Amino acid sequence: MLELKNIAWSLPGGEEIIKNIDLKLDDGKLIVVTGPNGGGKTSLAKLIAGIETITSGQIIFDGKDITKLDVTERAKSGIAFAFQQPVRFKGLCVHDVLNLAAGEELAELAACDLLGKVGLCANEYLNRELNSSLSGGEIKRIEIATVLARKAPLSIFDEPEAGIDLWSFSRLVETFENLRKQGTGTLLVISHQERILNIADEIVVIANGRVRTAGPREEILPSLLQGEVAPFCPYGKEERK
Amino acid sequence: MNDITKELLSMISDFDEKFDGAFNIREDSSCAGRKSTENIKIENKKDEPGIEIHIKPGTKGEKVYIPACVTHSDVDDLVYNDFYVGEDADITIVAGCGVHSDGEEDARHNGIHRFFLEKNSHVLYEEKHIGVGNGTGAKRIDPVTDIYLADDASMEMDTVQLSGVDTSIRKTSATLGARAKLIVRERIMTDGNETAKTEFEVLMNGEDCAADLMSRSVARGNSYQEFLSTLNGKNRCTGHSECDAILVDNGTVNAAPALEASHLDAALIHEAAIGKIAGEQILKLRTLGLTEEEAQERIIQGFLK
Ligand SMILES: Nc1ncnc2c1ncn2[C@@H]1O[C@H](COP(=O)(O)OP(=O)(O)OP(=O)(O)O)[C@@H](O)[C@H]1O
Ligand SMILES: [Mg+2]
């Protein structure tokens, strides 16, 4: 279980980006985090992965206080994170990165299986370099595959849908559903997509650095969708006044 | 052949007690073994130190090894090797040089290689340089390579120098005939107080000839590297040179790619990028469980692959 205890994060200049967030993520659940652009979703994910450090509060993971652990240590303790904007490398190919993620030399079949989960064919991609020659949707799907390769107790995906075609997106939704059914790890998916919200166990809405609302999908989703055609998200900054 | 030579040979080539194919092993300025084959004749030069390698027209798929080793300090080896590659031949030449120093004096190898490729021939030239040993004397390798490509000939040059050479100055020049093609891939890593300088000069004389120079380098410690290249387009041709360098610690890289064109249809491009490893690359690998140091090494290893 991941527990965020009253966490906050301010920029060096003093601006508070994440404000007193309390959250509990139960094991084996699929939790979808949504909310308006700039609300603090990516910041929250980075704080969990240790890429940024909270300025106050406490993070407990599997009963251990991981607040002081750095990125590497958090990764080793079982947290995986798929970046919203994937990183490109000159000289590392898809197979290399999948191996690093899995922590072992993946046989071609295993690598093929992982890429299949994001709708990519291993024959075409395993030896491709992760450089600027890959399209936006391709590199995004490879990024997701690296996190799947880690088979971590907690996997965080930051807008996995971004830039992905319809067919691969369907495949991805199916993959998330399967992972959820297996229940081997907790999935934290940041998303704006209804199809992903639809398979959530729980939904957390983050706006203006705070949790606006959180709870089981059945409770949260109907009210979220009501605002679907509104000029602004009902939980957005406009509401703050 | 002494044990240091054997060890150096296994580092710079696929030597495993023997070579498959024609070879000439140079050890401390003398010959430690030679074999010619039906199609590849190796013989001494008459007026200067070195060898001539003659490859019969039409020879296909054969390999020739010409490694040079300097096994102790106080050796200043200078050698002139000439390669004559017959029409339509298609072969691989494995060169490479290992320098071992054990004393205060310098250990140096200076190989001057000339390649004469006849029409429609193709050569893959592989060269690995390495310096080893605890001597305080400098380990130096200064190769000079002159390449002459006849019409439709092509040469791919693959050079690697990843550790232990204190100073090196590499000069490569090439003259290209019509439709001739030169591809150079260079990888260099320097550390400590090492310096490495590369200079390329390509004369693109023939119509529709092409040249592609790619250099990837990593400068660590207090090391210094210089990359100079000149592509000179004198006819309708395409030329590309690219220098991509990563700085670590206090390393310095100076890249000066130059283009010169005296024909309207000469299309020449150069790219140079120097910088430290992108922080987000390190971060990404750390989220996969690597430490910062491991991430850095893995990125460098991939970059120089
Ligand atoms: N390092 C930073 N420096 C300055 N501002 C930052 C920094 N990181 C985040 N912010 C700001 O904090 C707010 C939250 O950003 P964050 O990336 O977490 O939003 P988000 O909810 O993920 O948005 P989106 O849906 O667009 O991805 C934004 O206003 C952003 O500009
Ligand atoms: Mg975001």
Side-chain angles (χ1 to χ4, degrees), chain B residues 84-109:
Chain B
Y84 298 91
V85 182
E87 276 185 31
D88 299 313
D90 185 351
I91 56 143
T92 301
I93 298 169
V94 182
C97 174
V99 173
H100 174 269
S101 112
D102 51 7
E104 289 171 13
E105 300 83 8
D106 289 1
R108 176 173 187 233
H109 174 76

Short mmCIF file of all heavy atoms in Angstrom, two decimals, chain B residues 84-109:
data_model
loop_
_atom_site.label_atom_id
_atom_site.label_comp_id
_atom_site.label_asym_id
_atom_site.label_seq_id
_atom_site.Cartn_x
_atom_site.Cartn_y
_atom_site.Cartn_z
N TYR B 84 47.28 -2.38 -52.02
CA TYR B 84 46.84 -2.27 -53.41
C TYR B 84 45.67 -3.23 -53.59
O TYR B 84 45.84 -4.46 -53.51
CB TYR B 84 47.98 -2.62 -54.37
CG TYR B 84 49.14 -1.66 -54.23
CD1 TYR B 84 50.20 -1.94 -53.34
CD2 TYR B 84 49.18 -0.46 -54.94
CE1 TYR B 84 51.25 -1.05 -53.18
CE2 TYR B 84 50.24 0.44 -54.79
CZ TYR B 84 51.27 0.14 -53.91
OH TYR B 84 52.30 1.03 -53.75
N VAL B 85 44.49 -2.67 -53.76
CA VAL B 85 43.28 -3.51 -53.82
C VAL B 85 42.80 -3.55 -55.27
O VAL B 85 42.43 -2.51 -55.84
CB VAL B 85 42.18 -2.95 -52.90
CG1 VAL B 85 40.95 -3.85 -52.91
CG2 VAL B 85 42.71 -2.79 -51.48
N GLY B 86 42.82 -4.75 -55.86
CA GLY B 86 42.50 -4.91 -57.28
C GLY B 86 41.03 -4.67 -57.59
O GLY B 86 40.17 -4.68 -56.69
N GLU B 87 40.75 -4.49 -58.87
CA GLU B 87 39.38 -4.24 -59.33
C GLU B 87 38.41 -5.30 -58.80
O GLU B 87 38.76 -6.48 -58.75
CB GLU B 87 39.32 -4.27 -60.86
CG GLU B 87 39.70 -2.93 -61.47
CD GLU B 87 39.52 -2.91 -62.99
OE1 GLU B 87 38.62 -3.63 -63.49
OE2 GLU B 87 40.29 -2.19 -63.64
N ASP B 88 37.22 -4.86 -58.45
CA ASP B 88 36.13 -5.74 -58.04
C ASP B 88 36.40 -6.56 -56.78
O ASP B 88 35.60 -7.43 -56.42
CB ASP B 88 35.73 -6.72 -59.16
CG ASP B 88 35.24 -5.98 -60.39
OD1 ASP B 88 34.42 -5.06 -60.22
OD2 ASP B 88 35.71 -6.29 -61.49
N ALA B 89 37.52 -6.34 -56.12
CA ALA B 89 37.78 -7.10 -54.89
C ALA B 89 36.85 -6.57 -53.79
O ALA B 89 36.39 -5.42 -53.84
CB ALA B 89 39.24 -6.93 -54.46
N ASP B 90 36.55 -7.43 -52.82
CA ASP B 90 35.70 -7.03 -51.71
C ASP B 90 36.24 -7.71 -50.46
O ASP B 90 36.00 -8.89 -50.24
CB ASP B 90 34.25 -7.46 -51.99
CG ASP B 90 33.30 -6.95 -50.91
OD1 ASP B 90 33.79 -6.43 -49.89
OD2 ASP B 90 32.09 -7.10 -51.09
N ILE B 91 37.00 -7.00 -49.66
CA ILE B 91 37.70 -7.64 -48.55
C ILE B 91 37.61 -6.83 -47.26
O ILE B 91 37.19 -5.68 -47.26
CB ILE B 91 39.20 -7.84 -48.87
CG1 ILE B 91 39.83 -6.48 -49.22
CG2 ILE B 91 39.41 -8.83 -49.99
CD1 ILE B 91 41.22 -6.36 -48.69
N THR B 92 38.03 -7.49 -46.17
CA THR B 92 38.08 -6.82 -44.87
C THR B 92 39.54 -6.74 -44.41
O THR B 92 40.26 -7.74 -44.48
CB THR B 92 37.27 -7.62 -43.83
OG1 THR B 92 35.92 -7.69 -44.29
CG2 THR B 92 37.30 -6.96 -42.47
N ILE B 93 39.94 -5.59 -43.98
CA ILE B 93 41.29 -5.43 -43.44
C ILE B 93 41.15 -5.10 -41.95
O ILE B 93 40.44 -4.17 -41.58
CB ILE B 93 42.04 -4.28 -44.14
CG1 ILE B 93 42.18 -4.59 -45.63
CG2 ILE B 93 43.39 -4.03 -43.49
CD1 ILE B 93 42.68 -3.42 -46.46
N VAL B 94 41.79 -5.92 -41.11
CA VAL B 94 41.74 -5.64 -39.68
C VAL B 94 43.11 -5.12 -39.26
O VAL B 94 44.10 -5.87 -39.29
CB VAL B 94 41.36 -6.90 -38.87
CG1 VAL B 94 41.27 -6.56 -37.39
CG2 VAL B 94 40.05 -7.48 -39.38
N ALA B 95 43.17 -3.86 -38.94
CA ALA B 95 44.45 -3.29 -38.50
C ALA B 95 44.40 -3.22 -36.98
O ALA B 95 43.85 -4.10 -36.33
CB ALA B 95 44.63 -1.92 -39.11
N GLY B 96 44.85 -2.20 -36.40
CA GLY B 96 44.76 -2.11 -34.95
C GLY B 96 46.14 -2.07 -34.36
O GLY B 96 47.09 -2.59 -34.91
N CYS B 97 46.20 -1.40 -33.22
CA CYS B 97 47.50 -1.19 -32.62
C CYS B 97 47.37 -1.19 -31.11
O CYS B 97 46.49 -0.55 -30.55
CB CYS B 97 48.04 0.14 -33.12
SG CYS B 97 49.56 0.61 -32.33
N GLY B 98 48.26 -1.95 -30.47
CA GLY B 98 48.29 -1.97 -29.02
C GLY B 98 49.64 -1.47 -28.56
O GLY B 98 50.67 -1.87 -29.10
N VAL B 99 49.63 -0.59 -27.58
CA VAL B 99 50.88 -0.04 -27.08
C VAL B 99 50.96 -0.30 -25.58
O VAL B 99 50.04 0.03 -24.83
CB VAL B 99 50.97 1.48 -27.36
CG1 VAL B 99 52.18 2.08 -26.67
CG2 VAL B 99 51.03 1.74 -28.84
N HIS B 100 52.07 -0.92 -25.16
CA HIS B 100 52.25 -1.24 -23.74
C HIS B 100 53.49 -0.50 -23.28
O HIS B 100 54.55 -0.59 -23.90
CB HIS B 100 52.44 -2.75 -23.61
CG HIS B 100 52.78 -3.18 -22.21
ND1 HIS B 100 54.06 -3.31 -21.76
CD2 HIS B 100 51.98 -3.51 -21.18
CE1 HIS B 100 54.04 -3.70 -20.49
NE2 HIS B 100 52.79 -3.84 -20.11
N SER B 101 53.36 0.25 -22.19
CA SER B 101 54.56 0.92 -21.71
C SER B 101 54.85 0.47 -20.28
O SER B 101 53.94 0.27 -19.48
CB SER B 101 54.38 2.44 -21.79
OG SER B 101 54.32 3.00 -20.51
N ASP B 102 56.12 0.25 -19.99
CA ASP B 102 56.50 -0.26 -18.67
C ASP B 102 57.60 0.58 -18.03
O ASP B 102 58.09 0.26 -16.96
CB ASP B 102 56.96 -1.72 -18.79
CG ASP B 102 58.00 -1.89 -19.87
OD1 ASP B 102 58.45 -0.86 -20.43
OD2 ASP B 102 58.36 -3.03 -20.17
N GLY B 103 58.01 1.65 -18.69
CA GLY B 103 59.11 2.44 -18.12
C GLY B 103 58.88 3.93 -18.27
O GLY B 103 57.76 4.38 -18.47
N GLU B 104 59.95 4.68 -18.18
CA GLU B 104 59.82 6.13 -18.22
C GLU B 104 59.77 6.68 -19.65
O GLU B 104 59.29 7.79 -19.88
CB GLU B 104 61.02 6.79 -17.51
CG GLU B 104 60.98 6.61 -16.01
CD GLU B 104 62.29 7.07 -15.36
OE1 GLU B 104 63.10 7.73 -16.04
OE2 GLU B 104 62.48 6.75 -14.18
N GLU B 105 60.33 5.92 -20.58
CA GLU B 105 60.38 6.44 -21.94
C GLU B 105 59.06 6.19 -22.66
O GLU B 105 58.29 5.30 -22.31
CB GLU B 105 61.53 5.78 -22.73
CG GLU B 105 62.91 6.00 -22.16
CD GLU B 105 63.23 5.01 -21.05
OE1 GLU B 105 62.44 4.07 -20.85
OE2 GLU B 105 64.26 5.20 -20.38
N ASP B 106 58.86 6.95 -23.70
CA ASP B 106 57.63 6.81 -24.47
C ASP B 106 57.58 5.49 -25.23
O ASP B 106 58.62 4.93 -25.58
CB ASP B 106 57.52 7.95 -25.50
CG ASP B 106 57.24 9.29 -24.82
OD1 ASP B 106 57.16 9.31 -23.58
OD2 ASP B 106 57.12 10.28 -25.55
N ALA B 107 56.36 5.01 -25.44
CA ALA B 107 56.16 3.87 -26.33
C ALA B 107 55.25 4.40 -27.44
O ALA B 107 54.16 4.90 -27.18
CB ALA B 107 55.49 2.72 -25.60
N ARG B 108 55.74 4.32 -28.68
CA ARG B 108 54.98 5.00 -29.73
C ARG B 108 54.90 4.15 -30.99
O ARG B 108 55.86 3.49 -31.39
CB ARG B 108 55.69 6.32 -30.07
CG ARG B 108 55.06 7.08 -31.21
CD ARG B 108 55.72 8.45 -31.37
NE ARG B 108 55.01 9.23 -32.36
CZ ARG B 108 55.61 9.82 -33.40
NH1 ARG B 108 56.91 9.69 -33.59
NH2 ARG B 108 54.89 10.52 -34.25
N HIS B 109 53.74 4.19 -31.60
CA HIS B 109 53.58 3.57 -32.90
C HIS B 109 53.04 4.62 -33.85
O HIS B 109 52.08 5.31 -33.56
CB HIS B 109 52.61 2.39 -32.86
CG HIS B 109 52.34 1.82 -34.22
ND1 HIS B 109 53.24 1.03 -34.89
CD2 HIS B 109 51.29 1.98 -35.05
CE1 HIS B 109 52.75 0.70 -36.07
NE2 HIS B 109 51.55 1.26 -36.20
#
